[in-house]
Amino acid sequence: PLAQGFRAAVACLVTLAAKGDSPLSVSSPAAVGPPAAMPEEAAAAKKPKLEQLRLEPIARLEGTVVLPGSKSLSNRALLLAALSQGTTTVENLLESDDTARMLEALAKVGVDIDEKARHTENRIVIVGNAGPFDVSGQEGPCELFLGNAGTAMRPLAAMVCACKGDFVLDGTARMRERPIQDLTDALSQLGSPVECTQNPPHGGCPPVRVKADGLQGGSCSLSGKISSQYLSALLMTAPLAKSGTTVIEIKDELVSKPYVDMTVGLMRKFGVTVQEEELSTDSSKPRPRYTVASGQMYVSPGTYYVEGDASGASYFIAGAALTGGPVTVMGCGSESVQGDVKFAHMVEKMGATVEWKPNSITVSRKMDGSQPLKGIDEDCGEIPDAAMTLAVLAIAVQDGKPTAIRNVYNWRVKETERMKAICTELGKLGASVEEGRDFCIIQPLPKILPDVEIDTYDDHRMAMVFGLVACCGVPVVIKDPECTAKTFPTYFKELAALVKK
């Protein structure tokens, strides 16, 4: 359904392009094969894929876009619903590769899932298991293939340790390069025999294997420098532990803390409370300790509505800042539980006008020279995904000052090595970029090179971010545009719908 939806959206754009009404055009399809040793993907890869998408210069974006559900909230909600007592209806579920991998995995461990309205109304119904799962009766290991979905791999790697049975969790070639040993080490401290696979030079990565017989619990410490998803995974699993209270402490510094706050808030909606104590005296370098008291159980809230994706909102917010807008994103606003809404504050610092409502954000900018875009220097450790969108804004800055994006080391362990990918593609556009271990400094670019073919590295955010180059007044070619299916299959359709004709 994802591929069909994408092709339907692009077919519509091709029709408009033929009429001269669309800024998008599509190249001839070409077949693309699966990664080596990934047989689960072979069937999907047999279908022709769109090779590239050419975006004509976009003079102005204007209108309203309704955001799809948040990827992070969607997959967390699916897991907690599966572990809960009672039946949960999940509304506004994101339709994407990542949620598909989570649903497949939950079905494989025995969760009763009603998906009749999934593709038509973004709604599913899950009958909770009232605790961890037991697959010990099945023949052979329970093999969960999770693609390149970190929001499925990390939580499930922790959750299966609290279950019973023999589990193997694997993914794409890139997933086998994404570190997970900090999480498995913490799970070992809690009594699990879990193991990951050493993959030099990347360290301990999937596949993850565990002969599970429940999680003892107790206390553990882990590094928070690479990914906050490890901590979220441990927190969501903690109520399943056998032996009472579980204490989880960050031993250094926690990146992307708003995502953990979101996890704790969601656990509360499903009936589990978490106590937090801050151990750091430096507010810019959080080092929390969390306590999950014994005797708690996940209980269905009945219905859970997934908030619109704040990371996805960043592209339309930036497009409005580049072209003048106004553009309104519906689905997240001043009452959002997602940290990525902070991206709108950064765009405001760059010179755009931002209007907040509880469930929406509207961005505009005067294009008569009285409201120029300005370079900024920002710590983006809390919002690394949305921070990618600053890269294209940076080359369009009009005050001559560079834009520094700092504290984003974990770009290097995402769907691709994002630091190198961003710097490489900006360089192809003609930009001057200084790359550091956890930062990049981007100089404004008076003349952006046209018709550059942007490599997307099978990374949905690379495709969406660099699609905004068209908002800088030049045509751009996005290779493998279908990779947006990971989180936002209809992204280019939504972008085209905002183009003011």
Side-chain angles (χ1 to χ4, degrees):
L2 292 178
Q4 292 169 2
F6 190 96
R7 289 186 177 88
V10 174
C12 174
L13 296 173
V14 173
T15 301
L16 291 172
K19 297 178 180 179
D21 291 332
S22 175
L24 308 175
S25 58
V26 186
S27 72
S28 299
V32 178
M38 294 294 132
E40 293 87 345
E41 297 178 297
K46 288 178 182 177
K47 293 182 179 180
K49 289 182 69 175
L50 292 168
E51 184 178 88
Q52 60 186 31
L53 190 64
R54 186 176 190 270
L55 285 77
E56 297 296 333
I58 296 173
R60 194 177 191 94
L61 296 179
E62 184 175 329
T64 298
V65 59
V66 178
L67 298 168
S70 159
K71 174 186 73 170
S72 298
L73 284 170
S74 288
N75 269 354
R76 284 165 171 80
L78 291 175
L79 180 58
L80 296 192
L83 295 169
S84 290
Q85 182 180 67
T87 299
T88 305
T89 300
V90 182
E91 302 272 7
N92 198 38
L93 181 74
L94 174 66
E95 179 63 19
S96 73
D97 289 346
D98 278 28
T99 50
R101 299 293 84 75
M102 176 65 87
L103 286 165
E104 289 166 3
L106 293 176
K108 200 160 187 179
V109 298
V111 181
D112 183 353
I113 306 172
D114 180 350
E115 299 188 48
K116 289 194 294 288
R118 174 183 163 195
H119 303 302
T120 55
E121 300 177 43
N122 300 107
R123 180 177 70 249
I124 65 164
V125 180
I126 293 180
V127 179
N129 195 60
F133 305 95
D134 187 346
V135 299
S136 58
Q138 77 172 43
E139 184 176 346
C142 180
E143 298 181 350
L144 306 180
F145 180 80
L146 301 170
N148 198 14
T151 58
M153 174 63 75
R154 279 72 177 265
L156 286 170
M159 187 274 288
V160 298
C161 292
C163 298
K164 290 187 177 182
D166 187 1
F167 294 90
V168 178
L169 286 70
D170 201 358
T172 62
R174 175 57 183 168
M175 179 58 82
R176 291 182 172 188
E177 297 174 347
R178 299 178 69 181
I180 200 169
Q181 188 158 355
D182 285 339
L183 174 58
T184 58
D185 284 350
L187 289 163
S188 297
Q189 295 172 51
L190 296 176
S192 174
V194 65
E195 296 179 347
C196 59
T197 304
Q198 293 303 315
N199 183 19
H202 307 287
C205 302
V208 174
R209 297 176 173 85
V210 60
K211 294 184 183 296
D213 189 28
L215 194 66
Q216 290 301 317
S219 62
C220 67
S221 65
L222 79 155
S223 172
K225 285 187 173 182
I226 299 297
S227 174
S228 66
Q229 288 182 9
Y230 306 150
L231 176 55
S232 286
L234 289 167
L235 285 168
M236 288 188 286
T237 302
L240 310 178
K242 296 177 180 179
S243 58
T245 297
T246 300
V247 178
I248 307 164
E249 182 175 313
I250 295 297
K251 63 185 180 183
D252 39 37
E253 175 188 346
L254 179 62
V255 298
S256 307
K257 187 174 184 294
Y259 284 93
V260 179
D261 296 338
M262 182 174 68
T263 300
V264 171
L266 188 61
M267 290 172 66
R268 189 182 307 115
K269 286 185 181 294
F270 280 81
V272 172
T273 59
V274 179
Q275 301 300 316
E276 176 184 351
E277 178 186 359
E278 181 53 65
L279 304 178
S280 174
T281 56
D282 184 348
S283 60
S284 67
K285 297 180 178 181
R287 185 179 159 242
R289 176 195 291 139
Y290 295 91
T291 302
V292 183
S294 61
Q296 300 190 80
M297 181 180 188
Y298 290 119
V299 178
S300 170
T303 299
Y304 177 75
Y305 185 89
V306 179
E307 185 179 288
D309 185 50
S311 302
S314 72
Y315 313 118
F316 304 105
I317 288 171
L322 288 166
T323 66
V327 171
T328 298
V329 292
M330 296 291 299
C332 64
S334 59
E335 295 183 358
S336 174
V337 299
Q338 300 170 79
D340 277 0
V341 293
K342 294 179 181 179
F343 178 80
H345 293 298
M346 295 184 182
V347 169
E348 194 169 26
K349 287 184 181 180
M350 296 186 83
T353 299
V354 180
E355 301 174 40
W356 295 82
K357 290 184 179 180
N359 195 44
S360 69
I361 303 170
T362 300
V363 178
S364 60
R365 184 170 68 89
K366 295 177 181 177
M367 302 297 287
D368 59 4
S370 64
Q371 203 173 355
L373 284 176
K374 299 175 286 188
I376 57 174
D377 190 322
E378 290 290 319
D379 182 330
C380 296
E382 290 190 338
I383 59 165
D385 287 349
M388 294 176 67
T389 313
L390 285 176
V392 171
L393 280 167
I395 60 174
V397 159
Q398 296 164 309
D399 69 350
K401 295 181 179 179
T403 294
I405 305 171
R406 302 189 187 276
N407 196 19
V408 287
Y409 174 79
N410 64 359
W411 276 4
R412 298 188 182 276
V413 294
K414 294 283 190 174
E415 281 83 342
T416 188
E417 215 282 27
R418 285 177 172 170
M419 183 70 79
K420 290 190 178 299
I422 286 172
C423 293
T424 298
E425 300 311 306
L426 287 174
K428 286 161 64 174
L429 292 167
S432 174
V433 186
E434 177 188 349
E435 176 188 341
R437 177 182 176 276
D438 65 349
F439 70 89
C440 61
I441 301 175
I442 305 165
Q443 300 294 332
L445 186 56
K447 187 175 181 180
I448 300 169
L449 296 177
D451 281 311
V452 170
E453 293 189 356
I454 298 294
D455 289 299
T456 53
Y457 308 85
D458 196 26
D459 187 335
H460 55 133
R461 299 205 188 281
M462 287 294 294
M464 293 186 280
V465 166
F466 280 89
L468 295 173
V469 171
C471 295
C472 299
V474 296
V476 65
V477 178
I478 304 299
K479 297 170 75 172
D480 186 22
E482 280 191 334
C483 68
T484 64
K486 189 173 194 294
T487 54
F488 204 155
T490 61
Y491 171 72
F492 288 109
K493 176 185 176 183
E494 299 292 347
L495 185 66
L498 293 174
V499 176
K500 184 173 175 60
K501 298 179 175 64

